[in-house]
Amino acid sequence: MEFKPGNPLPAEMLYRHCDPDQFSFETTADLEKLSEIPGQERATEAIHFATEIDVDGHNVFVLGPAGSGRHRFVKQFLEKKAATRPVPPDLCYVYNFDDARKPKALVLPPGHSKELRDDVESVIEDAQTAIPAAFESEEFQAQREAVAEEFKDEQESAFKKVEAEAAERGIGVIQTPGGIAFVPLRDGEALDTDDFKKLPEEEQKKIHDDIEDLTRRLQQLMRAVPKKAREMRQKVRMLEREVANLAVTGLLDELIQKYREIDAVVEHLKKMQEDIVENVNMFLRPSEGPSAQGMPAQMQQMMESKGANPKRRYAINVLVDQTDAKGAPVICDDKPSFVELIGRIEYESEFGALVTNFTLIRSGSLHRANGGYLVIDAAKLFSYPLAWDGLKRAIKSRELRVRSLADDVGLVSTVTLEPEPIPLNVKVVLVGERIYYYLLQRHDPEFAELFKIEADFEDQIVRNDDNLNRLARWMATTIREQELKHMDRSGLGRLMEQSARRAGDSERYSADIRYATDLLREAHYWAGEGGKDLIGAEDIQKAIDSQARRASRYRDRLQEEMLRDTLVVETTGSRIGQINGLAVFQLGEFAFGRPQRITATVTLGSGEVVDIEREVKLGGPIHSKGVLILSGFLRSHYVTDRPLSLAASLVFEQSYGDVDGDSASAAELCALASALAEVPIRQSFAITGSIDQQGRVQAIGGVNEK
């Protein structure tokens, strides 16, 4: 039926029925699966383009109303796309043998990180057995004793030379508490002081000179001892290195050969081999050994925390392992804080101080999404300090630098690490309300540079046969995924009617997938309560009524107060300057309409129309705008050649809260005209709608509730 403006609206135009007979299936079980949300072709094209183009800055902001299925659609779309993409590499951190504060990053082929970690752990365990065994071998002990004996023989030989020369000069060598001393001899016996003084002066002088010369010779010999000892230790150290190198080479050669095609691993293993040889004492400190005897347990722990523990020093810290991956990763971060995005460096408390090492580096969602896609809820992202700045910095630099939040803002004073940055290749998808997108566009210059693609989800879907069939398939898909009862044709028809009602448009369906799914779940329950195998129209209706019932306490109280005349709403007779307007109350997800008494009074005055709501600051700007528009309409249509000689006031009676919106301006105009002309208005009517300055009534909102 065609409707012509200006004519009364026929009752049959108020409700557009969805005929179940138009469906070609009996139940939703007959329908095929649908992977794309109906009516969102514009957003689908945008996301497809963003995932295909490989240019910096083409990240995506998915904007649209909550409940439109944005998160679900984005995840399903990206998982399907990611399945066709290559698996990204594994990410690890290892000890930096050149600078312990700057751990090295290892980027390995997918699935190799845990294998390498286990291989290195096995090698270190073997080394902890093989190296002590090599050092305890008879051959090594004999060689080390030979070096010590050589040093001892050299010292004894040099001392004997001094001793022999002293004997030739008649000087003896004795050991005293203060060290070695020279004394004159006579017939093999040492002269005492008295006998020495009886000797001729020349002989005494000669003895003094000989003793001084021998003392100098002995001092030279003693000064050479540390150098000789150092040379001996160097020889022992070289011997230890040779033995350690032989023991380690046998263990690591096989590992180097295994990973020969991964240059970074080969380089690390070679440096590890050199470091083990240089720090072989780490493997030679058993609790019963001489170096550990008398060492407190706390001191041993401190040594281990500083890298003296070989298992920790040579460990492979696996950040991301792709062993079981089938394609590129799709990560949905439910807690996009700074540390959850970027990663973090943990600390351990030891002896009252905070310490860390490369094994305490933890991955963030950007690490796990590297080489794939990261989906973030915009509202959650902006609720965490510095998370947005950290994300932008990572995207812009295409690098992942792990650091703590406290260190980033300069609040940490303890020693920390500077891990080597990891190359970043990720497509970021932000999902949020439109307000976030437009605020970022306006106030953040970097946003447009980094998020060039907007995927705008529709609020409503055009009501046609194609979209109806696609919505039916979507409902069938949801039923299968959530293991609900299938719907018959009557149930689906009633669900589509409710979707159109929620859209407030007979030619549109609501894009609120969440609302339809919630109705479906509840109808599933009621069908089960009724012992049915299929969800029918009556089950959908019961779900609708139940939702309204749970949320309608305030509406019912208002209606009760109207019936008791506590809230005055007249529906019979006629009144001058009084009319019933219609307002919509929104409480959470539940909206309802209620009549609102509007009154107008006029007296002689200067042509001012007073909006009492605005005067007491209860009227919103849009409502005040509506009153000013109707004032302009009065001035331009009734008295154009002189000022209006009236003073009028308008008010919403018994309104104790904020009032906004311009849909009451038509009713206010009627009340004002009634007061001016002293013509009564029938109170059985309620009026809603805004007017323009030409007096035309415009479209209204909340039509179903009103």
Side-chain angles (χ1 to χ4, degrees):
M1 179 181 295
E2 183 179 356
F3 169 71
K4 295 182 179 180
N7 295 331
L9 190 65
E12 54 268 24
M13 290 290 292
L14 299 178
Y15 186 83
R16 184 176 173 183
H17 180 58
C18 182
D19 187 1
D21 293 334
Q22 66 181 303
F23 297 119
S24 60
F25 55 88
E26 292 299 324
T27 72
T28 52
D30 302 330
L31 298 175
E32 296 179 355
K33 181 180 178 180
L34 184 67
S35 59
E36 295 182 358
I37 297 179
Q40 302 294 355
E41 290 78 11
R42 189 198 313 271
T44 303
E45 291 172 6
I47 298 175
H48 177 76
F49 171 72
T51 54
E52 288 295 324
I53 188 171
D54 190 17
V55 180
D56 288 353
H58 284 71
N59 298 293
V60 191
F61 194 108
V62 177
L63 56 153
S68 58
R70 301 165 302 174
H71 288 87
R72 176 182 173 186
F73 169 74
V74 167
K75 185 178 180 181
Q76 289 180 344
F77 183 92
L78 293 180
E79 286 177 347
K80 183 178 179 181
K81 180 74 67 174
T84 64
R85 299 294 175 89
V87 178
D90 290 356
L91 303 177
C92 308
Y93 271 110
V94 295
Y95 187 82
N96 187 343
F97 301 107
D98 298 323
D99 187 347
R101 290 187 63 250
K102 298 180 179 180
K104 297 281 291 182
L106 280 186
V107 180
L108 307 177
H112 282 68
S113 59
K114 287 187 176 180
E115 184 181 6
L116 176 63
R117 180 190 63 189
D118 295 342
D119 287 342
V120 171
E121 286 180 358
S122 178
V123 165
I124 297 304
E125 288 177 359
D126 292 343
Q128 288 179 313
T129 303
I131 292 177
F135 276 74
E136 291 170 3
S137 66
E138 293 182 0
E139 181 181 357
F140 172 75
Q141 295 294 335
Q143 290 176 336
R144 186 166 62 178
E145 289 176 4
V147 173
E149 285 295 329
E150 181 183 353
F151 170 73
K152 182 179 179 181
D153 291 344
E154 287 181 1
Q155 297 302 311
E156 290 180 352
S157 175
F159 184 75
K160 286 180 179 179
K161 286 182 180 180
V162 174
E163 190 176 26
E165 187 175 346
E168 290 178 1
R169 299 184 183 187
I171 305 296
V173 181
I174 63 173
Q175 186 76 30
T176 68
I180 296 175
F182 294 99
V183 295
L185 298 175
R186 277 293 181 269
D187 299 327
E189 297 291 335
L191 290 176
D192 57 19
T193 304
D194 294 336
D195 292 337
F196 178 75
K197 290 180 178 180
K198 294 177 181 179
L199 295 175
E201 185 175 344
E202 290 182 1
E203 189 174 353
Q204 289 183 26
K205 183 177 182 302
K206 182 178 183 305
I207 291 173
H208 275 298
D209 292 341
D210 289 341
I211 290 176
E212 287 179 1
D213 182 52
L214 291 170
T215 301
R216 282 194 299 272
R217 295 282 301 278
L218 183 61
Q219 288 175 346
Q220 290 176 357
L221 177 63
M222 298 304 293
R223 281 196 295 268
V225 169
K227 180 180 178 182
K228 294 293 184 180
R230 189 164 53 251
E231 291 175 354
M232 182 202 71
R233 288 194 298 271
Q234 288 177 351
K235 288 182 179 180
V236 172
R237 181 64 182 140
M238 290 179 63
L239 178 61
E240 291 176 346
R241 287 178 181 175
E242 291 176 3
V243 173
N245 193 40
L246 287 173
V248 173
T249 299
L251 296 173
L252 283 173
D253 277 354
E254 184 179 350
L255 205 56
I256 292 174
Q257 182 64 21
K258 179 178 179 179
Y259 294 97
R260 63 185 181 279
E261 296 181 358
I262 308 176
D263 295 338
V265 174
V266 172
E267 181 183 357
H268 175 70
L269 292 176
K270 288 181 177 179
K271 286 189 174 183
M272 186 175 78
Q273 179 175 340
E274 295 173 1
D275 189 75
I276 291 175
V277 172
E278 290 293 329
N279 298 278
V280 71
N281 286 334
M282 288 191 298
F283 297 84
L284 301 175
R285 294 190 298 121
S287 58
E288 68 274 14
S291 62
Q293 290 178 357
M295 181 182 291
Q298 290 185 344
M299 184 64 70
Q300 293 186 34
Q301 293 177 9
M302 182 178 293
M303 294 296 293
E304 290 181 358
S305 70
K306 292 183 178 181
N309 183 348
K311 286 188 176 181
R312 176 179 290 181
R313 185 183 184 91
Y314 304 117
I316 306 293
N317 182 10
V318 178
L319 267 68
V320 179
D321 173 57
Q322 304 287 2
T323 301
D324 300 324
K326 304 300 182 183
V330 177
I331 304 298
C332 298
D333 196 339
D334 294 329
K335 185 186 175 185
S337 63
F338 182 90
V339 295
E340 293 293 337
L341 283 171
I342 309 300
R344 63 187 180 278
I345 301 172
E346 296 179 345
Y347 291 84
E348 294 177 340
S349 178
E350 292 184 358
F351 315 112
L354 292 177
V355 298
T356 187
N357 58 76
F358 77 96
T359 64
L360 297 177
I361 300 173
R362 301 292 180 256
S363 65
S365 55
L366 281 169
H367 291 92
R368 296 188 292 275
N370 201 3
Y373 308 95
L374 177 61
V375 182
I376 306 174
D377 186 282
K380 293 180 181 178
L381 176 68
F382 300 139
S383 67
Y384 291 102
L386 297 181
W388 173 237
D389 290 334
L391 177 64
K392 287 193 300 181
R393 189 182 300 121
I395 296 174
K396 195 170 184 178
S397 65
R398 295 180 65 87
E399 285 184 342
L400 274 174
R401 294 181 178 272
V402 181
R403 58 193 182 279
S404 67
L405 180 59
D407 183 55
D408 203 58
V409 297
L411 295 178
V412 67
S413 58
T414 188
V415 175
T416 187
L417 302 176
E418 297 179 17
E420 181 183 7
I422 295 174
L424 177 64
N425 178 26
V426 67
K427 190 75 70 172
V428 179
V429 180
L430 287 181
V431 182
E433 302 287 337
R434 292 188 175 92
I435 184 64
Y436 295 122
Y437 178 80
Y438 294 117
L439 284 173
L440 289 168
Q441 280 278 11
R442 181 175 180 83
H443 298 290
D444 191 338
E446 293 180 321
F447 177 72
E449 179 184 348
L450 300 177
F451 290 84
K452 298 181 180 296
I453 308 298
E454 58 180 303
D456 198 351
F457 270 61
E458 301 285 353
D459 297 337
Q460 299 175 347
I461 303 171
V462 176
R463 186 170 182 173
N464 56 37
D465 292 341
D466 181 58
N467 282 336
L468 179 61
N469 290 326
R470 289 166 63 82
L471 281 169
R473 290 176 58 192
W474 180 265
M475 290 297 105
T477 303
T478 302
I479 287 171
R480 292 189 179 98
E481 290 177 350
Q482 302 190 15
E483 298 181 352
L484 305 176
K485 295 180 185 296
H486 280 280
M487 283 189 294
D488 60 20
R489 294 189 295 181
S490 68
L492 184 59
R494 184 65 189 93
L495 185 62
M496 293 299 99
E497 290 172 357
Q498 183 63 17
S499 178
R501 180 178 178 84
R502 188 170 179 83
D505 192 329
S506 63
E507 297 180 359
R508 296 286 191 277
Y509 291 119
S510 171
D512 194 342
I513 300 297
R514 181 179 60 190
Y515 174 75
T517 304
D518 288 344
L519 273 182
L520 194 58
R521 294 193 191 102
E522 194 160 339
H524 163 82
Y525 168 79
W526 292 118
E529 287 290 295
K532 300 178 182 178
D533 295 329
L534 295 173
I535 298 173
E538 61 276 13
D539 302 310
I540 297 293
Q541 186 61 51
K542 193 164 187 178
I544 295 170
D545 295 341
S546 296
Q547 287 188 354
R549 165 71 177 167
R550 291 192 296 270
S552 62
R553 184 195 63 82
Y554 186 67
R555 181 198 66 183
D556 295 344
R557 295 291 80 78
L558 283 177
Q559 292 176 353
E560 181 182 331
E561 295 303 316
M562 284 186 281
L563 292 174
R564 297 173 61 189
D565 288 334
T566 304
L567 296 176
V568 179
V569 176
E570 297 189 17
T571 59
T572 60
S574 299
R575 292 280 185 176
I576 294 175
Q578 177 176 314
I579 196 167
N580 293 317
L582 291 172
V584 175
F585 280 59
Q586 182 80 40
L587 299 175
E589 290 289 320
F590 183 66
F592 63 93
R594 60 155 293 190
Q596 182 73 57
R597 189 161 57 103
I598 300 172
T599 63
T601 61
V602 293
T603 61
L604 288 174
S606 59
E608 182 181 9
V609 177
V610 176
D611 175 14
I612 294 178
E613 305 295 335
R614 180 180 62 184
E615 295 299 319
V616 298
K617 298 182 179 179
L618 286 178
I622 298 177
H623 176 262
S624 299
K625 176 184 176 183
V627 174
L628 293 174
I629 288 174
L630 73 87
S631 301
F633 170 74
L634 284 176
R635 286 192 297 269
S636 63
H637 280 71
Y638 295 103
V639 182
T640 59
D641 57 347
R642 68 189 65 154
L644 282 173
S645 57
L646 64 84
S649 64
L650 292 166
V651 70
F652 279 64
E653 300 289 356
Q654 292 186 294
S655 172
Y656 306 108
D658 294 339
V659 175
D660 204 4
D662 60 352
S663 61
S665 55
E668 290 170 330
L669 177 61
C670 292
L672 192 57
S674 170
L676 282 170
E678 297 184 349
V679 175
I681 302 174
R682 289 169 55 187
Q683 297 301 290
S684 59
F685 290 131
I687 297 179
T688 185
S690 63
I691 62 168
D692 62 15
Q693 290 197 115
Q694 306 303 317
R696 290 176 298 199
V697 180
Q698 301 166 139
I700 65 170
V703 60
N704 290 310
E705 291 78 7
K706 290 176 178 178

